[in-house]
Amino acid sequence: MVKHRRPLPADGARTGLFPALLSAVAAAVAPLPSSVAKRQGRAPLIGYPWGGRPLGAAPVLGCFLNTVLFTTAAPGDLDEACDRWWDDIDHADTPVDEVVRAARSGGSRWSGTVDALLTLEDTTRRPPLELGGVEGVETHLRGPALQSPVAVSVSQSRRELLVRMGWNRHQLDDREARWAFDTLCTTLDGHLGPTPDRTDPTASLR
């Protein structure tokens, strides 16, 4: 895993930050020689979780959580990423299984896999885990092995972003991964504004 910390821009609202991340991830994975997207001659697909509760929903526990698919023919183009992302959000409640079935019924050979996964966590918005006046305990479960070639996890605090990237070594070698992460960070800096020093002393590869 590699890591990169960078300060948030003064106007770093989530609405501008997330498409910037999508654009940067797409720019990082699109040129990879070993990527499935490049071999199939198509734009990369970035999967990301999206959840929420409809306005006016009853005050009960639970919300919807879906995997949304982002793709762009111009990786690194922030304006296009913003337009496509807003289109995605309009259909965020469409189950991803339906998207895969529709693609197959249309003659696509797409298997339903994605080229990268992206998650963004706003650490400033963590309501207490409480139900019926009883405080809950958060338990992290070890998930299955990474299925996509690349997974990018971003944590947003009040002042900075922590960008982490892991990869599946069966699909991507370490040299390609380092190059992809550098491209991701450079593209993101271009969207959000350069940092005084992009060298992260906490960066690690294992």
Side-chain angles (χ1 to χ4, degrees):
M1 178 182 290
V2 284
K3 303 177 184 179
H4 170 57
R5 293 182 185 272
R6 61 148 295 140
L8 276 173
D11 58 347
R14 179 187 286 260
T15 53
L17 174 60
F18 198 69
L21 288 166
L22 286 169
S23 176
V25 173
V29 301
L32 291 175
S34 64
S35 73
V36 176
K38 193 171 183 67
R39 291 199 302 270
Q40 295 181 352
R42 61 168 173 79
L45 280 169
I46 314 299
Y48 62 92
W50 195 262
R53 291 170 55 79
L55 293 176
V60 296
L61 186 67
C63 67
F64 78 86
L65 184 64
N66 193 18
T67 299
V68 184
L69 301 176
F70 171 85
T71 187
T72 173
D77 186 323
L78 183 56
D79 289 336
E80 200 221 15
C82 287
D83 291 341
R84 286 181 176 265
W85 180 57
W86 282 113
D87 288 341
D88 288 347
I89 298 307
D90 287 340
H91 304 90
D93 59 347
T94 303
V96 70
D97 288 348
E98 290 186 16
V99 177
V100 177
R101 281 194 292 270
R104 289 175 177 171
S105 65
S108 172
R109 294 182 300 166
W110 177 46
S111 65
T113 59
V114 296
D115 303 290
L117 294 167
L118 171 64
T119 60
L120 171 63
E121 178 190 19
D122 186 345
T123 61
T124 66
R125 300 180 182 181
R126 282 183 172 172
L129 296 173
E130 185 175 300
L131 179 62
V134 179
E135 184 176 350
V137 178
E138 187 172 355
T139 302
H140 292 271
L141 302 177
R142 184 179 180 85
L146 184 63
Q147 299 298 310
S148 66
V150 171
V152 178
S153 174
V154 182
S155 297
Q156 175 187 354
S157 66
R158 296 190 185 280
R159 296 185 178 181
E160 69 173 12
L161 294 177
L162 171 60
V163 183
R164 292 165 289 189
M165 190 184 90
W167 59 95
N168 187 326
R169 282 194 165 112
H170 295 294
Q171 302 178 62
L172 194 67
D173 65 38
D174 292 349
R175 178 186 58 81
E176 286 183 307
R178 285 180 179 273
W179 182 91
F181 189 67
D182 187 64
T183 300
L184 189 158
C185 294
T186 299
T187 305
L188 185 62
D189 286 348
H191 292 335
L192 302 182
T195 60
D197 181 3
R198 206 173 62 76
T199 302
D200 177 15
T202 67
S204 62
L205 176 65
R206 60 180 185 272

